[in-house]
Amino acid sequence: MVFYLNLRHIKILLSFTHTNIYNNSILDTKENILILAKNTILSESESIAKLIDYIDVNFAEATQTLFNSKGRIIVTGIGKSAIIAQKMVATFNSTGTPSLFLHASEAIHGDLGMVQPDDVVICISKSGNSPEIKILIPILKRFGNKLIAITGNITSFLAKESNFILNTTVDAESCPNNLAPTNSTTAQLVMGDALAVCLMELRNFTSEDFAKYHPGGSLGKKLLLRVKDMIENSLKPMVAPDASIKKVIFEISEKRLGVTAVIESEKVIGIITDGDIRRMLNENDTFTHLTAKDIMTKNPKMIQSTTMVADALNILEDFAITQLIVVDNGEYKGVLHLHDILKEGIV
């Protein structure tokens, strides 16, 4: 694990406690803030690193139980742990593991009806002894559901009553009073992510699967949008090889894509960009004797309409160009322009 702290930062962190930072009148307020912020990050990162020592056969068996379950994953907790539970549910659902959030307090007031016989329950609690947890767990046990505890107290009521224990013990919180959940909730979150990643691997969850659950926004577009989706209603600039330069300029201007394909026998034999036009004007006093074939670029970069737009963008970047000719089985389909990709918000 790499921490981006230089030697001076580490010395400061080791030589100042929360108390003497608050009482030290030599350091100004801004430097105190920076020290405290870096100390918090260092403290939490150390807590996460220690989780490696807690990954044991319990974790493996818990993961296999989740994978083999015919039901859903029910994740429950109280207080800050409930917020971590909600994030965990969101991660599970987006990576192919159907999950539901159950607030421990609401569970004992009617929401237990969402728990079905084949569901596996994950209960998150730092202490493992919260009053709501002590009421909820025996009820779940009577239901017969498998129970996985994520707790920082492996001798707690929750730990003793669970089928599997995932240990998220931390030495202390980053809070100056060692009260506000900081290190403990971060450890819970990371343990949940570890479960989710393992389940993804067990399910052979691919980027195509991921796209099914993320159709919206720039992420969905990166995973789902194909070139054909972007050129369906676009114009198709084209000229014949013997077209005059005036005709070429008119076609590029009218179609507003900064380029035109040169078509012969229904095949693309070249392209002409507005850059080609500028170079031609710089090199020639007159162009009345020139045709499209004289100034076109042969063998242009071409892609199929089924290509993912994200892949097309990579091609544009690799070759430092702004347009790609779209061709399917030799048939000219249109032009994909970098500006259109940018408008879609994919970058």
Side-chain angles (χ1 to χ4, degrees), residues 129 207-208 269 297:
N129 291 315
S207 57
E208 288 76 17
I269 63 169
T297 299

Side-chain angles (χ1 to χ4, degrees), residues 6-33:
N6 61 34
L7 184 59
R8 175 176 174 272
H9 290 148
I10 294 173
K11 287 180 177 178
I12 291 173
L13 293 174
L14 293 176
S15 61
F16 286 93
T17 63
H18 288 294
T19 301
N20 62 32
I21 285 176
Y22 291 139
N23 296 331
N24 195 330
S25 59
I26 298 175
L27 297 177
D28 63 24
T29 301
K30 290 181 180 178
E31 189 164 355
N32 287 345
I33 291 172

Side-chain angles (χ1 to χ4, degrees), residues 61-76:
E61 292 178 351
T63 303
Q64 289 174 331
T65 298
L66 293 171
F67 176 68
N68 294 324
S69 172
K70 296 179 181 179
R72 305 154 303 175
I73 299 178
I74 308 295
V75 191
T76 187

Side-chain angles (χ1 to χ4, degrees), residues 204-272:
N204 296 316
F205 196 81
T206 65
S207 57
E208 288 76 17
D209 296 321
F210 195 80
K212 296 176 185 177
Y213 304 108
H214 298 78
S218 60
L219 178 58
K221 288 178 180 178
K222 283 183 180 180
L223 295 170
L224 293 173
L225 196 63
R226 297 185 182 274
V227 170
K228 63 182 179 181
D229 301 320
M230 295 192 63
I231 64 168
E232 282 179 339
N233 301 314
S234 64
L235 299 173
K236 294 170 56 178
M238 65 178 78
V239 295
D242 59 355
S244 66
I245 300 302
K246 181 178 179 181
K247 168 64 177 175
V248 172
I249 295 173
F250 180 80
E251 185 72 0
I252 293 176
S253 300
E254 183 183 44
K255 302 299 170 60
R256 305 173 75 98
L257 288 171
V259 65
T260 182
V262 181
I263 307 295
E264 184 176 50
S265 300
E266 300 183 353
K267 303 292 183 182
V268 177
I269 63 169
I271 62 168
I272 301 173

Side-chain angles (χ1 to χ4, degrees), residues 28-46:
D28 63 24
T29 301
K30 290 181 180 178
E31 189 164 355
N32 287 345
I33 291 172
L34 294 177
I35 292 170
L36 289 169
K38 292 172 183 178
N39 197 27
T40 299
I41 294 169
L42 183 60
S43 176
E44 294 201 16
S45 62
E46 288 175 344

